[in-house]
Amino acid sequence: MKIATFNINGIKARIEALPEWLEQARPDVVCLQEIKSVDENFPREVFEALGYQVETHGQKGFNGVAILSKLPMTDVVRGLPGDDSDEQARWIEATVQGARKVRVCGLYLPNGNPAPGPKYDYKLAWMARMEARARTLMADELPLIFLGDYNVIPEAQDAAKPEAWTTDALFLPQSRAAFRRLEHLGLTDAFRIQHPGPGHYSFWDFQAGAWERNNGIRIDHLMCSPQAADLLMSSGIDKAVRGGVKPSDHVPVWVELDA
DNA sequence: ATGCCGATTAGTAATCGA
């Protein structure tokens, strides 16, 4: 089972690049972030024609997440539990049925800048809620994967220029500590465990020639529960997508599970 | 690198992202 995450930065803007990547990479399941669309306007027929079942959790203008699955997908939950007053569409989960069942949680973690401030408070509160949700789901001891745009640079080696991020919400100690708490629950950063060392990025800013200078950061992650990590076969970052026509500022990251 | 670019909504300027 090939499972991928891709922050597409607008479904309308990526309506050609996304199907092109899907046909080339052929993932079974894809979690999308920043669809920037309400559910009614998501072009689901484009992806149904490619064999995908489509579940969205959108909102007007920004944010918005979705899951595309070639495998049967059931038990969809929209919105991160734990705060009924949270209006932002940043979480969607579902169970997909391959050779084994896998619970897939697609997430778009808040950016949090500027820090300190209310946006950073929201980020940290959101991460605490996510940790609570992870505890709940992990109690079942089933294959479980939390994937998406975490907006967290876990370590200095995950940035080309870590010194430029020291006061940024993506790299502040509290953000990284919250990420580590997820790891301490027993979640494994699937890409990192298979690809040690610097130079692996999933985001390059549109500005200042970041792509041409390879000034990137690794902020899109797939975190596996112990039962999912036991099924981990391979993982990768589809870096070449960033050099394609009308690219997003993020690229797809994926794992293959023996499931 | 201080949103320098890019997407969206609203309607040519503002907001948001990382």
Short mmCIF file of all heavy atoms in Angstrom, two decimals, chain A residues 12 34 108 111 113 151 203 205-208 246, chain B residues 1 3-10 16-18:
data_model
loop_
_atom_site.label_atom_id
_atom_site.label_comp_id
_atom_site.label_asym_id
_atom_site.label_seq_id
_atom_site.Cartn_x
_atom_site.Cartn_y
_atom_site.Cartn_z
N LYS A 12 -7.43 24.34 -7.41
CA LYS A 12 -7.64 24.95 -8.73
C LYS A 12 -6.30 25.17 -9.43
O LYS A 12 -6.16 24.93 -10.62
CB LYS A 12 -8.37 26.30 -8.59
CG LYS A 12 -9.84 26.18 -8.25
CD LYS A 12 -10.48 27.56 -8.15
CE LYS A 12 -11.73 27.52 -7.29
NZ LYS A 12 -12.11 28.86 -6.79
N GLU A 34 -4.22 22.08 2.12
CA GLU A 34 -4.44 23.38 1.46
C GLU A 34 -5.17 23.21 0.12
O GLU A 34 -4.71 23.70 -0.90
CB GLU A 34 -3.12 24.14 1.28
CG GLU A 34 -2.58 24.71 2.58
CD GLU A 34 -1.66 25.91 2.36
OE1 GLU A 34 -2.19 27.03 2.32
OE2 GLU A 34 -0.43 25.73 2.22
N TYR A 108 -3.16 19.18 8.51
CA TYR A 108 -2.50 20.42 8.10
C TYR A 108 -2.32 21.24 9.37
O TYR A 108 -3.18 21.98 9.80
CB TYR A 108 -3.36 21.15 7.07
CG TYR A 108 -2.83 22.51 6.67
CD1 TYR A 108 -1.47 22.71 6.43
CD2 TYR A 108 -3.68 23.59 6.50
CE1 TYR A 108 -0.98 23.94 6.05
CE2 TYR A 108 -3.20 24.83 6.12
CZ TYR A 108 -1.85 25.00 5.91
OH TYR A 108 -1.38 26.24 5.54
N ASN A 111 0.57 26.95 11.00
CA ASN A 111 1.89 27.55 10.83
C ASN A 111 2.39 28.16 12.14
O ASN A 111 3.51 27.92 12.57
CB ASN A 111 1.77 28.60 9.71
CG ASN A 111 2.98 29.45 9.55
OD1 ASN A 111 3.47 30.03 10.51
ND2 ASN A 111 3.50 29.52 8.33
N ASN A 113 3.07 31.37 12.96
CA ASN A 113 3.72 32.69 12.96
C ASN A 113 2.69 33.80 12.95
O ASN A 113 1.61 33.63 12.39
CB ASN A 113 4.63 32.81 11.73
CG ASN A 113 5.95 32.10 11.94
OD1 ASN A 113 6.65 32.33 12.92
ND2 ASN A 113 6.27 31.21 11.02
N ASN A 151 4.23 21.61 9.49
CA ASN A 151 4.77 22.94 9.77
C ASN A 151 5.72 22.92 10.96
O ASN A 151 5.77 23.85 11.78
CB ASN A 151 3.64 23.96 9.99
CG ASN A 151 3.20 24.62 8.69
OD1 ASN A 151 4.03 24.99 7.86
ND2 ASN A 151 1.91 24.75 8.51
N PHE A 203 9.82 21.23 1.18
CA PHE A 203 9.28 22.56 0.89
C PHE A 203 10.40 23.50 0.48
O PHE A 203 11.45 23.53 1.13
CB PHE A 203 8.56 23.13 2.13
CG PHE A 203 8.18 24.58 2.03
CD1 PHE A 203 6.95 24.97 1.53
CD2 PHE A 203 9.09 25.58 2.41
CE1 PHE A 203 6.62 26.32 1.41
CE2 PHE A 203 8.76 26.92 2.29
CZ PHE A 203 7.52 27.30 1.79
N ASP A 205 10.47 27.66 -0.63
CA ASP A 205 9.69 28.88 -0.78
C ASP A 205 9.65 29.32 -2.25
O ASP A 205 10.59 29.09 -3.00
CB ASP A 205 10.32 29.99 0.08
CG ASP A 205 9.33 31.09 0.41
OD1 ASP A 205 8.79 31.70 -0.52
OD2 ASP A 205 9.09 31.33 1.60
N PHE A 206 8.53 29.95 -2.62
CA PHE A 206 8.43 30.51 -3.98
C PHE A 206 9.40 31.67 -4.15
O PHE A 206 9.75 32.04 -5.28
CB PHE A 206 7.01 31.03 -4.24
CG PHE A 206 5.99 29.95 -4.45
CD1 PHE A 206 4.85 29.90 -3.67
CD2 PHE A 206 6.16 28.99 -5.43
CE1 PHE A 206 3.89 28.92 -3.87
CE2 PHE A 206 5.21 28.00 -5.65
CZ PHE A 206 4.07 27.96 -4.87
N GLN A 207 9.81 32.29 -3.05
CA GLN A 207 10.56 33.54 -3.12
C GLN A 207 12.06 33.32 -3.05
O GLN A 207 12.54 32.29 -2.59
CB GLN A 207 10.14 34.44 -1.95
CG GLN A 207 8.66 34.74 -1.91
CD GLN A 207 8.30 35.56 -0.71
OE1 GLN A 207 8.26 36.77 -0.78
NE2 GLN A 207 8.04 34.90 0.40
N ALA A 208 12.75 34.37 -3.50
CA ALA A 208 14.20 34.48 -3.30
C ALA A 208 14.98 33.31 -3.90
O ALA A 208 16.06 32.95 -3.45
CB ALA A 208 14.53 34.63 -1.80
N LYS A 246 4.18 24.83 -13.10
CA LYS A 246 3.25 25.39 -12.11
C LYS A 246 3.21 24.55 -10.84
O LYS A 246 2.16 24.02 -10.47
CB LYS A 246 1.86 25.52 -12.72
CG LYS A 246 1.02 26.66 -12.14
CD LYS A 246 -0.26 26.84 -12.98
CE LYS A 246 -1.10 28.03 -12.64
NZ LYS A 246 -1.41 28.38 -11.32
P DA B 1 19.14 37.81 6.80
OP1 DA B 1 19.74 37.00 7.77
OP2 DA B 1 19.60 38.98 6.11
"O5'" DA B 1 18.34 36.88 5.76
"C5'" DA B 1 17.25 36.25 6.29
"C4'" DA B 1 15.96 37.05 6.04
"O4'" DA B 1 16.04 37.75 4.80
"C3'" DA B 1 14.76 36.13 5.94
"O3'" DA B 1 13.61 36.83 6.32
"C2'" DA B 1 14.72 35.83 4.45
"C1'" DA B 1 15.13 37.18 3.86
N9 DA B 1 15.84 37.06 2.61
C8 DA B 1 16.36 35.94 2.03
N7 DA B 1 16.96 36.15 0.89
C5 DA B 1 16.84 37.52 0.72
C6 DA B 1 17.27 38.40 -0.28
N6 DA B 1 17.95 38.00 -1.35
N1 DA B 1 16.99 39.70 -0.15
C2 DA B 1 16.32 40.10 0.93
N3 DA B 1 15.87 39.37 1.94
C4 DA B 1 16.16 38.09 1.77
P DG B 3 7.80 39.55 7.07
OP1 DG B 3 6.58 40.36 7.21
OP2 DG B 3 8.01 38.41 7.94
"O5'" DG B 3 7.88 39.01 5.57
"C5'" DG B 3 7.23 39.79 4.58
"C4'" DG B 3 7.56 39.22 3.23
"O4'" DG B 3 7.43 37.79 3.25
"C3'" DG B 3 6.57 39.70 2.17
"O3'" DG B 3 7.23 39.75 0.92
"C2'" DG B 3 5.51 38.62 2.18
"C1'" DG B 3 6.34 37.38 2.46
N9 DG B 3 5.62 36.37 3.21
C8 DG B 3 4.96 36.53 4.40
N7 DG B 3 4.43 35.45 4.86
C5 DG B 3 4.75 34.49 3.91
C6 DG B 3 4.45 33.13 3.83
O6 DG B 3 3.80 32.47 4.64
N1 DG B 3 4.96 32.54 2.68
C2 DG B 3 5.68 33.18 1.73
N2 DG B 3 6.09 32.47 0.71
N3 DG B 3 5.98 34.47 1.79
C4 DG B 3 5.49 35.05 2.89
P DC B 4 7.10 40.96 0.02
OP1 DC B 4 7.62 42.14 0.72
OP2 DC B 4 5.73 40.97 -0.51
"O5'" DC B 4 8.13 40.54 -1.12
"C5'" DC B 4 8.26 41.31 -2.29
"C4'" DC B 4 9.39 40.71 -3.09
"O4'" DC B 4 10.52 40.55 -2.22
"C3'" DC B 4 9.07 39.32 -3.64
"O3'" DC B 4 9.69 39.18 -4.92
"C2'" DC B 4 9.74 38.38 -2.65
"C1'" DC B 4 10.98 39.21 -2.28
N1 DC B 4 11.51 38.86 -0.95
C2 DC B 4 12.67 38.10 -0.88
O2 DC B 4 13.20 37.70 -1.92
N3 DC B 4 13.18 37.77 0.33
C4 DC B 4 12.58 38.20 1.44
N4 DC B 4 13.13 37.85 2.60
C5 DC B 4 11.41 38.99 1.40
C6 DC B 4 10.91 39.30 0.20
P DC B 5 8.74 38.88 -6.12
OP1 DC B 5 9.63 38.79 -7.28
OP2 DC B 5 7.60 39.81 -6.09
"O5'" DC B 5 8.17 37.42 -5.81
"C5'" DC B 5 9.00 36.27 -5.96
"C4'" DC B 5 8.15 35.02 -5.86
"O4'" DC B 5 7.50 35.00 -4.57
"C3'" DC B 5 7.03 34.96 -6.90
"O3'" DC B 5 6.94 33.62 -7.35
"C2'" DC B 5 5.78 35.37 -6.13
"C1'" DC B 5 6.10 34.90 -4.72
N1 DC B 5 5.51 35.71 -3.64
C2 DC B 5 4.69 35.09 -2.69
O2 DC B 5 4.46 33.88 -2.80
N3 DC B 5 4.16 35.83 -1.69
C4 DC B 5 4.43 37.14 -1.61
N4 DC B 5 3.90 37.83 -0.60
C5 DC B 5 5.27 37.78 -2.57
C6 DC B 5 5.79 37.04 -3.56
P DG B 6 6.02 33.23 -8.58
OP1 DG B 6 6.67 32.08 -9.21
OP2 DG B 6 5.70 34.44 -9.35
"O5'" DG B 6 4.67 32.74 -7.89
"C5'" DG B 6 4.66 31.54 -7.14
"C4'" DG B 6 3.31 31.34 -6.51
"O4'" DG B 6 3.12 32.32 -5.46
"C3'" DG B 6 2.10 31.50 -7.45
"O3'" DG B 6 1.36 30.30 -7.39
"C2'" DG B 6 1.33 32.70 -6.88
"C1'" DG B 6 1.76 32.68 -5.42
N9 DG B 6 1.66 33.94 -4.70
C8 DG B 6 2.15 35.15 -5.10
N7 DG B 6 1.92 36.10 -4.21
C5 DG B 6 1.24 35.46 -3.20
C6 DG B 6 0.72 35.96 -1.97
O6 DG B 6 0.77 37.11 -1.55
N1 DG B 6 0.09 34.97 -1.23
C2 DG B 6 -0.02 33.66 -1.62
N2 DG B 6 -0.66 32.84 -0.78
N3 DG B 6 0.46 33.17 -2.74
C4 DG B 6 1.07 34.12 -3.48
P DA B 7 0.01 30.14 -8.22
OP1 DA B 7 0.01 28.76 -8.70
OP2 DA B 7 -0.15 31.28 -9.14
"O5'" DA B 7 -1.11 30.28 -7.10
"C5'" DA B 7 -1.22 29.28 -6.09
"C4'" DA B 7 -2.42 29.59 -5.23
"O4'" DA B 7 -2.17 30.79 -4.46
"C3'" DA B 7 -3.71 29.83 -6.01
"O3'" DA B 7 -4.75 29.03 -5.46
"C2'" DA B 7 -3.98 31.32 -5.85
"C1'" DA B 7 -3.29 31.64 -4.52
N9 DA B 7 -2.82 33.01 -4.45
C8 DA B 7 -2.08 33.68 -5.38
N7 DA B 7 -1.79 34.92 -5.04
C5 DA B 7 -2.39 35.06 -3.80
C6 DA B 7 -2.46 36.14 -2.90
N6 DA B 7 -1.91 37.32 -3.12
N1 DA B 7 -3.14 35.95 -1.74
C2 DA B 7 -3.71 34.75 -1.52
N3 DA B 7 -3.70 33.68 -2.28
C4 DA B 7 -3.03 33.90 -3.42
P DT B 8 -6.21 29.06 -6.12
OP1 DT B 8 -6.78 27.72 -5.92
OP2 DT B 8 -6.13 29.67 -7.46
"O5'" DT B 8 -6.99 30.07 -5.17
"C5'" DT B 8 -7.06 29.82 -3.77
"C4'" DT B 8 -7.77 30.96 -3.09
"O4'" DT B 8 -6.92 32.12 -3.09
"C3'" DT B 8 -9.07 31.38 -3.77
"O3'" DT B 8 -10.17 31.19 -2.89
"C2'" DT B 8 -8.89 32.85 -4.12
"C1'" DT B 8 -7.72 33.27 -3.22
N1 DT B 8 -6.88 34.34 -3.80
C2 DT B 8 -6.66 35.49 -3.06
O2 DT B 8 -7.13 35.66 -1.94
N3 DT B 8 -5.86 36.43 -3.67
C4 DT B 8 -5.28 36.34 -4.90
O4 DT B 8 -4.58 37.24 -5.34
C5 DT B 8 -5.54 35.11 -5.63
C7 DT B 8 -4.94 34.92 -6.99
C6 DT B 8 -6.31 34.19 -5.05
P DT B 9 -11.65 31.37 -3.41
OP1 DT B 9 -12.47 30.40 -2.67
OP2 DT B 9 -11.65 31.38 -4.89
"O5'" DT B 9 -12.01 32.84 -2.92
"C5'" DT B 9 -11.91 33.16 -1.53
"C4'" DT B 9 -12.14 34.64 -1.32
"O4'" DT B 9 -11.02 35.38 -1.87
"C3'" DT B 9 -13.40 35.21 -2.00
"O3'" DT B 9 -14.08 36.04 -1.06
"C2'" DT B 9 -12.85 36.03 -3.16
"C1'" DT B 9 -11.50 36.47 -2.61
N1 DT B 9 -10.48 36.82 -3.62
C2 DT B 9 -9.72 37.95 -3.44
O2 DT B 9 -9.84 38.69 -2.48
N3 DT B 9 -8.79 38.18 -4.42
C4 DT B 9 -8.56 37.42 -5.54
O4 DT B 9 -7.70 37.73 -6.36
C5 DT B 9 -9.39 36.25 -5.68
C7 DT B 9 -9.23 35.35 -6.86
C6 DT B 9 -10.30 36.01 -4.71
P DA B 10 -15.46 36.72 -1.41
OP1 DA B 10 -16.20 36.82 -0.15
OP2 DA B 10 -16.05 36.00 -2.57
"O5'" DA B 10 -15.06 38.20 -1.88
"C5'" DA B 10 -14.32 39.05 -0.99
"C4'" DA B 10 -13.70 40.20 -1.74
"O4'" DA B 10 -12.87 39.69 -2.81
"C3'" DA B 10 -14.70 41.15 -2.43
"O3'" DA B 10 -14.24 42.48 -2.27
"C2'" DA B 10 -14.64 40.73 -3.90
"C1'" DA B 10 -13.18 40.38 -4.01
N9 DA B 10 -12.84 39.52 -5.14
C8 DA B 10 -13.46 38.38 -5.55
N7 DA B 10 -12.92 37.82 -6.60
C5 DA B 10 -11.86 38.68 -6.91
C6 DA B 10 -10.90 38.66 -7.92
N6 DA B 10 -10.82 37.72 -8.87
N1 DA B 10 -10.00 39.67 -7.94
C2 DA B 10 -10.08 40.61 -7.00
N3 DA B 10 -10.93 40.74 -6.00
C4 DA B 10 -11.80 39.73 -6.02
P DC B 16 -5.61 37.29 7.50
OP1 DC B 16 -6.64 36.81 8.41
OP2 DC B 16 -4.57 38.25 7.96
"O5'" DC B 16 -4.83 36.03 6.90
"C5'" DC B 16 -5.58 35.00 6.28
"C4'" DC B 16 -4.64 34.15 5.47
"O4'" DC B 16 -4.16 34.91 4.35
"C3'" DC B 16 -3.39 33.71 6.23
"O3'" DC B 16 -3.54 32.34 6.60
"C2'" DC B 16 -2.24 33.89 5.24
"C1'" DC B 16 -2.94 34.33 3.96
N1 DC B 16 -2.16 35.32 3.19
C2 DC B 16 -1.75 35.01 1.89
O2 DC B 16 -2.05 33.91 1.42
N3 DC B 16 -1.03 35.91 1.20
C4 DC B 16 -0.72 37.09 1.74
N4 DC B 16 -0.02 37.94 1.01
C5 DC B 16 -1.14 37.43 3.06
C6 DC B 16 -1.85 36.52 3.74
P DG B 17 -2.45 31.64 7.56
OP1 DG B 17 -3.15 30.53 8.24
OP2 DG B 17 -1.74 32.68 8.34
"O5'" DG B 17 -1.42 31.02 6.53
"C5'" DG B 17 -1.88 30.06 5.59
"C4'" DG B 17 -0.80 29.80 4.57
"O4'" DG B 17 -0.52 31.00 3.83
"C3'" DG B 17 0.54 29.36 5.17
"O3'" DG B 17 1.07 28.31 4.37
"C2'" DG B 17 1.40 30.59 5.04
"C1'" DG B 17 0.88 31.15 3.73
N9 DG B 17 1.20 32.54 3.48
C8 DG B 17 1.03 33.61 4.32
N7 DG B 17 1.42 34.73 3.79
C5 DG B 17 1.86 34.39 2.53
C6 DG B 17 2.40 35.19 1.50
O6 DG B 17 2.61 36.41 1.49
N1 DG B 17 2.73 34.43 0.38
C2 DG B 17 2.55 33.08 0.28
N2 DG B 17 2.94 32.52 -0.87
N3 DG B 17 2.05 32.33 1.24
C4 DG B 17 1.72 33.05 2.33
P DA B 18 1.75 27.02 5.13
OP1 DA B 18 1.57 25.90 4.19
OP2 DA B 18 1.27 26.91 6.52
"O5'" DA B 18 3.29 27.42 5.21
"C5'" DA B 18 4.05 27.45 4.01
"C4'" DA B 18 5.45 27.95 4.30
"O4'" DA B 18 5.37 29.32 4.73
"C3'" DA B 18 6.20 27.20 5.39
"O3'" DA B 18 7.54 26.96 5.00
"C2'" DA B 18 6.20 28.15 6.57
"C1'" DA B 18 6.17 29.50 5.89
N9 DA B 18 5.55 30.55 6.69
C8 DA B 18 4.31 30.54 7.28
N7 DA B 18 4.01 31.64 7.92
C5 DA B 18 5.14 32.42 7.74
C6 DA B 18 5.47 33.72 8.16
N6 DA B 18 4.67 34.49 8.91
N1 DA B 18 6.67 34.22 7.82
C2 DA B 18 7.49 33.45 7.07
N3 DA B 18 7.29 32.23 6.61
C4 DA B 18 6.09 31.77 6.98
#
